[in-house]
Amino acid sequence: MSEVLGEEPEVVLAERRYEAISRILETVVRKREAKKLTFTDILDHVFLHRALGIPIFLALLYAVFQFTFSFSAPFSDMIDMFFSWLGGLAEEGVMPANPVLASFLSGGVCAGLGSVLVFIPPIFMLFLALAILEDCGYLARAAFVMDRMMYKLGLHGRSFIPMITGFGCNIPAIMATRSIENEKDRIITILVNPLMSCSARLPVYVLIAGVIFGSSYAAGAAVFSMYLLGIALAVMMALIFRRTLLKGLPAPFVLELPRYMIPSPKSVILHMWERGKWFLIKAGTFIFAVVVVIWTLSTFPWGATSGGEIIENSYIAAFGHLIEPIFRPFGWNWQAAVALFFGFLAKEAVVGTFGALLGAGEEAVDTALASAGWFTPLTGFAYMVFVLIYFPCVATIGIMLKELRPKWVLFAATYTLVLAFIVAFIVIGVGHMMGME
Amino acid sequence: MSDFDPRIGRVMGVYALALGVLYLLFGLMEIVGVGGSGTDPIPIPGDLFGGLAILVVAATYLNGVRGLFRGEHVGLSFLIGALFLSAVFGVLYLLLMGADGLSYLIGSSDEFAALADFRPEIWFFLLSLPLAYQVWKLTREVTW
């Protein structure tokens, strides 16, 4: 049929359907005047342009991440200052009466949880920017322009909407794949979705990029490059799966584009809040529990660690030294290895772990991490790459188990871990070849 | 047949061409990282992705020039798209400048290098405002 029609049958069917609708409308609707040119027509000419459509999308994405990274910095600093002040207050006020409680409040709650909560501004700003793009009607266009490229690569265009949703959180993104009718297309989209950099990974990028590049534009570019790398890897892996495990042609993509409109501030703020509030809930429950576990492991045995002062004698150090050899080729120490381990539970826990292990206290976690000198620009960048790729978080695994058979979930967990090691090795190798430390 | 007065189109075309060339030059300079310190009137940071982004703005302006000279809607489309991108990047860097100022005020930054933050994208955004006004006059009747 495709050969006879010169087009996919589904596309021809959709075109014929709309032609029929137009014919019916012409006979039953009496227009007072000819169709006027609208802003939607004007803007679509540029934003859906064959050559400029994708570069414009990438340029806007870059603007979103610069806004997220750089504009949020002073607001994060304010939260950081608050927790540092609170930590100092807890230490001074509670220490004489109850040293364990003082250590918990200052090292666990203020340093650990505080180091995660400082990322409220970038996460909310990311959702604000994405809400503006979505509400003005642009995100649907982004899926449309990416569809052209993705279809040529053997992928389904509808896959890109869950992929963009994945920038926020992989869980709703995986649930959004239910709109993909073709089973193989759906499995591929779910398998590659964890490679789309969710907002839980943003705190890790912002922290590490800030530590290794300072507050220069390079730090923003490093964060942006993680998102680009995520898209590139997702497309590459999808292509590999399409050519090997899930052979076949993708179903054609027919998408009705909404009109452009000026987004209403109320709707944008509501969208931002709806998506961002889960971070607050997660930080107050799950991340808090993880931080308590890390604090306990890093301060006990109480006597041996002198109340958490000599962390090398703690349970967490023993565990860290056990897993450190796996990550030593990348130049990461046991603290970085432990942070990755807790990142299996939730990616924000990586930052929480650094906060608790550094016992940042009076210092901001980024300042403490920079002073500790645990990362060079090369090892730090490789760490960011590893965090981007390795293992979906526990909650994502849970939703994948609902949507896929267990063998696919196991496959997703395994391939992301293997891919993380491979890509991080490549980064380190290329860096060494370029003469970096 | 032209969609609007080609005389207005030619003026807008020349302006768009000038802006496109400026964006192109400064985009290349940002990519190459020729620099320019904070004391220069227009500091040019070495910013690969930022440079690539403004090359996209340049391409959008330049794509519309021919259509504008002919007074065609297609030229106006590219021009509006380019003006939109100019505004996005201009406002973005103005916001970042404000954020740097705020960092200085709360004491988390030692200096507020306002001049160093005044990137070319902000100048070009300001330069594009007369063109935006002309486009607004032409498209007042157009609905969304």
Side-chain angles (χ1 to χ4, degrees), chain A residues 37-40 42-43 45-47 49 52 55-56 59 62-63 67 70-71 74 77 81 217 221 224 228 260 262, chain B residues 47 49-50 56 59-60 63 73-74 77-78 80 84-85 89 92-93 95-96 99 103 106 108 119 139 142-144:
Chain A
L37 189 75
T38 64
F39 272 118
T40 298
I42 289 174
L43 292 173
H45 198 86
V46 185
F47 292 138
H49 192 262
L52 280 175
I56 287 176
Y62 173 73
F67 171 73
S70 305
F71 187 63
D77 287 343
M81 283 171 183
Y217 291 111
F224 176 60
L228 281 190
Y260 286 101
I262 297 170
Chain B
D47 180 4
F49 289 122
V56 175
T60 315
N63 255 296
H73 275 139
V74 62
S77 293
F78 283 108
I80 292 174
F84 171 75
L85 290 173
F89 284 98
L92 170 73
Y93 291 117
L95 285 174
L96 300 195
S103 287
I106 61 172
S108 62
R119 289 177 57 134
T139 56
V142 178
T143 59
W144 286 94

Side-chain angles (χ1 to χ4, degrees), chain A residues 123 167-168 197-204 278-279 282 346-348:
Chain A
I123 284 176
F167 284 147
S197 202
C198 67
S199 57
R201 280 169 258 199
L202 183 66
V204 188
W278 68 265
F279 177 75
K282 205 172 164 189
K347 297 291 188 277
E348 302 94 326

Side-chain angles (χ1 to χ4, degrees), chain A residues 107-143:
Chain A
V109 178
C110 294
L113 191 61
S115 60
V116 176
L117 291 180
V118 295
F119 294 101
I120 290 173
I123 284 176
F124 272 79
M125 279 171 195
L126 173 68
F127 287 129
L128 175 74
L130 289 178
I132 292 171
L133 288 180
E134 189 175 2
D135 285 9
C136 74
Y138 180 73
L139 272 196
R141 267 87 184 169

Side-chain angles (χ1 to χ4, degrees), chain A residues 84-408:
Chain A
S84 298
W85 170 77
L86 211 60
L89 209 66
E91 260 190 18
E92 279 174 27
V94 189
M95 185 63 91
N98 191 337
V100 178
L101 183 63
S103 165
F104 172 69
L105 291 175
S106 130
V109 178
C110 294
L113 191 61
S115 60
V116 176
L117 291 180
V118 295
F119 294 101
I120 290 173
I123 284 176
F124 272 79
M125 279 171 195
L126 173 68
F127 287 129
L128 175 74
L130 289 178
I132 292 171
L133 288 180
E134 189 175 2
D135 285 9
C136 74
Y138 180 73
L139 272 196
R141 267 87 184 169
F144 185 85
V145 293
M146 289 304 286
D147 172 57
R148 281 193 207 125
M149 187 186 80
M150 291 177 81
Y151 195 82
K152 279 179 194 159
L153 292 170
L155 301 172
H156 190 256
R158 197 176 283 270
S159 306
F160 199 69
I161 294 176
M163 283 164 83
I164 290 181
T165 313
F167 284 147
C169 179
N170 293 137
I171 296 166
I174 287 170
M175 286 161 74
T177 60
R178 289 175 190 169
S179 64
I180 302 172
E181 288 156 19
N182 183 296
E183 186 62 11
K184 285 181 179 175
D185 289 339
R186 205 173 77 86
I187 295 174
I188 291 177
T189 310
I190 295 176
L191 288 179
V192 300
N193 208 284
L195 296 171
M196 298 306 286
S197 202
C198 67
S199 57
R201 280 169 258 199
L202 183 66
V204 188
Y205 304 151
V206 174
L207 174 69
I208 307 288
V211 166
I212 59 177
F213 294 114
S215 57
S216 62
Y217 291 111
V223 175
F224 176 60
S225 69
M226 288 300 112
Y227 286 82
L228 281 190
L229 181 66
I231 296 173
L233 285 172
V235 170
M236 189 188 81
M237 291 315 296
L239 194 59
I240 291 171
F241 296 150
R242 170 67 74 197
R243 299 264 162 93
T244 54
L245 299 172
L246 296 151
K247 285 182 183 173
L249 278 174
F253 180 42
V254 180
L255 175 72
E256 206 160 322
L257 296 172
R259 273 188 317 140
Y260 286 101
M261 58 175 78
I262 297 170
S264 86
K266 188 184 169 188
S267 144
V268 166
I269 289 168
L270 271 177
H271 270 129
M272 176 187 74
W273 173 247
E274 281 301 316
R275 287 167 187 170
K277 73 176 178 190
W278 68 265
F279 177 75
L280 295 175
I281 295 167
K282 205 172 164 189
T285 53
F286 192 70
I287 304 294
F288 181 67
V290 172
V291 162
V292 170
V293 171
I294 296 163
W295 171 82
T296 310
L297 293 174
S298 63
T299 44
F300 287 92
W302 185 260
T305 63
S306 294
E309 291 296 316
I310 312 166
I311 210 163
E312 278 294 332
N313 296 339
S314 64
Y315 294 125
I316 208 164
F319 174 66
H321 286 300
L322 195 72
I323 60 169
E324 186 192 6
I326 305 169
F327 302 102
R328 201 175 292 145
F330 303 109
W332 304 331
N333 59 10
W334 70 261
Q335 290 92 336
V338 165
L340 285 177
F341 176 80
F342 284 103
F344 276 114
L345 302 172
K347 297 291 188 277
E348 302 94 326
V350 173
V351 172
T353 309
F354 279 126
L357 289 178
L358 288 160
E362 305 262 318
E363 256 184 328
V365 66
D366 54 348
T367 318
L369 191 57
S371 314
W374 291 347
F375 293 107
T376 65
L378 180 60
T379 60
F381 191 76
Y383 196 80
M384 287 163 68
V385 168
F386 197 89
V387 171
L388 159 72
I389 308 167
Y390 89 118
F391 207 80
C393 68
V394 169
T396 306
I397 290 283
I399 199 75
M400 284 172 104
L401 277 167
K402 278 189 184 169
E403 301 293 325
L404 293 176
R405 278 188 283 173
K407 69 166 188 177
W408 285 118

Side-chain angles (χ1 to χ4, degrees), chain A residues 19-35:
Chain A
E19 279 170 19
I21 292 168
S22 301
R23 275 200 303 275
I24 295 165
L25 283 176
E26 274 170 23
T27 53
V28 297
V29 177
R30 192 173 298 151
K31 289 178 187 166
R32 284 186 186 157
E33 52 192 83
K35 186 183 179 292

